[in-house]
Amino acid sequence: MYLFTPLQITIQPILPAWVSMQDFQAFKELLNTPKNIIIVTHHKPDADALGSSLGLWGYLKKKGHRVTVITPSDYPDFLHWMKGNDEVLIYEKSKKTAINQLIDSADIIFCLDFSNLHRINELGEHVGQSDAVKVLVDHHLDPEDFATYKFWSIEAAATAELIYELIMSLGDAELIDQDIAEALYAGIMTDTGSFQHSNTTQNVHRITASLIEFGADTHKVARSIYNSNTLDRLRFIGFSLSQRLEVLAGLNVALFAISKQDLAMFNSKTGDTEGLVNYALSIRGIVLAALMIDHGELIKISFRSVGDFPANELAQKYFNGGGHKNAAGGRSTKFKKLLPSFKSKLTSSSK
Ligand code: 5GP
Ligand code: MN
């Protein structure tokens, strides 16, 4: 016997503020008949990119569509448990002409967890040129104007949160099963830093409660993502902390600079550097943390900040990147490659 009526967590299909009614009706109708659907997400997908994609994949398949998830590049092993992982097409590793044909014949292309076509590398050109209806679902700043339907909110902690709300708004709560719930939960869990970042809103907790109602095994998801280290990875983290972490005292900045050789020494695989930047941010008093990884052609940079420091502005202005206020990233070409553009100034300067 309950003393009180148990709380009904499942949210009724009310249209969230970030969806315009006009868009939504047309979008809903579009999904009423079977379509060829492609879902693409960003380069080096994280748990939100892949979780929102595979959550949506599971849902759309149940709705009777033909659905393919395409990622520009591979992603960490610790995401391979998600249902549908075996069917993901990795552009870099596949026959590109076959994937380009799939894109050309798609009726709808969902673009998840990114706002600018350059985030999907070469795929961006094909997606941009395709005649398919494009649907953007994302929570990053300044979306590029390429989509027919834009389901976009920077208030959302994760794209998975938006996918959940879309499915609920479409009145399809009963289609959310354990696999879909776990993929979406993974996205929310990681994009909120395990419910620690300031984006962990009431809505986040309501939605995750609801995902648990739908069968998500939160312990399994957390274990799969966080407790699946290889010894190499742990040794790499230890090495980076002791040998590669630098604190710029007086500036409240901490940074890691990781070389190609460092990566090779620990047999580094995709995902092994994920989360490393957070150790730099965890130092008392640090406002900005950076992780620079030399991949040869490019140096990939991750930024994390606390409070008002806009990491995304820094990434956008100087590193051809972007992101959120407190978590951003970008890239830089090698210093040596930049030098020719300064050649005249360098050679004409008197010593
Ligand atoms: P991470 O440091 O985990 O790679 O990325 C953190 C966040 O920064 C991502 O969620 C994404 O929003 C943004 N980000 C990372 N790399 C890039 C980039 O090259 N371009 C843009 N526009 N955003 C990036
Ligand atoms: Mn995200």
Side-chain angles (χ1 to χ4, degrees):
M1 256 280 278
Y2 287 105
L3 206 49
F4 304 103
T5 314
L7 186 65
Q8 268 301 316
I9 302 278
T10 307
I11 299 165
Q12 291 305 308
I14 303 167
L15 223 49
W18 47 269
V19 176
S20 97
M21 179 55 100
Q22 202 182 357
D23 272 5
F24 190 72
Q25 282 310 334
F27 174 68
K28 191 171 178 173
E29 272 167 37
L30 186 71
L31 293 182
N32 274 345
T33 50
K35 296 285 185 326
N36 284 324
I37 298 180
I38 301 284
I39 300 171
V40 277
T41 189
H42 61 74
H43 177 73
K44 294 286 173 197
D46 55 13
D48 187 35
L50 195 73
S52 57
S53 296
L54 287 176
L56 179 65
W57 172 86
Y59 160 70
L60 290 172
K61 272 177 79 91
K62 278 183 144 180
K63 244 176 126 64
H65 302 289
R66 280 184 49 196
V67 199
T68 310
V69 174
I70 302 173
T71 62
S73 67
D74 66 353
Y75 45 85
D77 288 353
F78 60 73
L79 299 178
H80 287 187
W81 55 271
M82 288 184 197
K83 175 85 183 287
N85 170 67
D86 296 343
E87 294 180 41
V88 172
L89 300 180
I90 300 171
Y91 193 68
E92 273 177 8
K93 295 186 171 178
S94 311
K95 278 219 170 76
K96 293 185 178 171
T97 46
I99 296 190
N100 293 341
Q101 267 169 13
L102 266 181
I103 293 173
D104 289 341
S105 59
D107 301 312
I108 308 173
I109 302 176
F110 279 89
C111 297
L112 302 195
D113 203 38
F114 69 93
S115 286
N116 298 85
L117 287 173
H118 79 255
R119 291 278 283 143
I120 54 173
N121 310 343
E122 254 181 274
L123 266 174
E125 235 172 81
H126 298 283
V127 170
Q129 284 165 6
S130 157
D131 291 331
V133 172
K134 286 157 215 158
V135 185
L136 176 88
V137 189
D138 186 40
H139 65 140
H140 292 94
L141 288 174
D142 303 325
E144 198 179 317
D145 200 11
F146 66 87
T148 321
Y149 298 105
K150 239 187 253 179
F151 298 121
W152 174 82
S153 167
I154 52 163
E155 309 283 307
T159 298
E161 182 179 335
L162 300 175
I163 295 294
Y164 169 89
E165 289 192 317
L166 263 186
I167 298 175
M168 297 302 277
S169 303
L170 289 161
D172 285 332
E174 79 283 358
L175 295 185
I176 303 181
D177 57 23
Q178 182 176 354
D179 296 321
I180 294 171
E182 287 177 354
L184 297 180
Y185 180 82
I188 296 173
M189 179 186 79
T190 54
D191 265 21
T192 55
S194 299
F195 310 99
Q196 293 178 51
H197 298 336
S198 56
N199 59 6
T200 312
T201 57
Q202 293 182 23
N203 203 37
V204 160
H205 281 301
R206 275 194 213 101
I207 290 174
T208 49
S210 170
L211 292 172
I212 294 169
E213 265 196 331
F214 286 120
D217 180 344
T218 57
H219 179 57
K220 181 189 101 181
V221 174
R223 223 179 42 231
S224 310
I225 291 182
Y226 296 125
N227 292 356
S228 61
N229 283 314
T230 58
L231 185 58
D232 271 340
R233 182 179 187 223
L234 283 187
R235 297 252 193 257
F236 169 71
I237 292 171
F239 166 83
S240 303
L241 289 172
S242 67
Q243 307 296 316
R244 296 290 182 258
L245 177 59
E246 197 182 331
V247 174
L248 306 180
L251 285 174
N252 300 332
V253 172
L255 62 95
F256 289 99
I258 308 289
S259 71
K260 259 186 110 166
Q261 290 81 352
D262 297 342
L263 296 175
M265 195 156 59
F266 294 95
N267 303 310
S268 174
K269 290 196 298 186
T270 298
D272 279 3
T273 56
E274 199 127 320
L276 187 60
V277 65
N278 295 318
Y279 287 102
L281 196 68
S282 74
I283 302 169
R284 184 179 297 154
I286 293 300
V287 171
L288 176 68
L291 167 66
M292 293 176 218
I293 303 172
D294 185 352
H295 289 288
E297 288 285 289
L298 273 181
I299 298 173
K300 174 81 184 82
I301 309 172
S302 286
F303 295 108
R304 298 291 184 272
S305 68
V306 288
D308 293 335
F309 187 88
N312 50 356
E313 279 177 29
L314 183 72
Q316 200 168 21
K317 202 161 170 195
Y318 299 104
F319 299 103
N320 194 23
H324 315 275
K325 189 176 74 179
N326 297 131
R331 56 199 68 193
S332 169
T333 45
K334 277 190 169 297
F335 177 56
K336 276 189 188 168
K337 279 194 177 167
L338 281 174
L339 293 180
S341 58
F342 291 95
K343 191 172 177 188
S344 60
K345 278 190 183 165
L346 285 168
T347 51
S348 66
S349 293
S350 52
K351 280 199 271 183

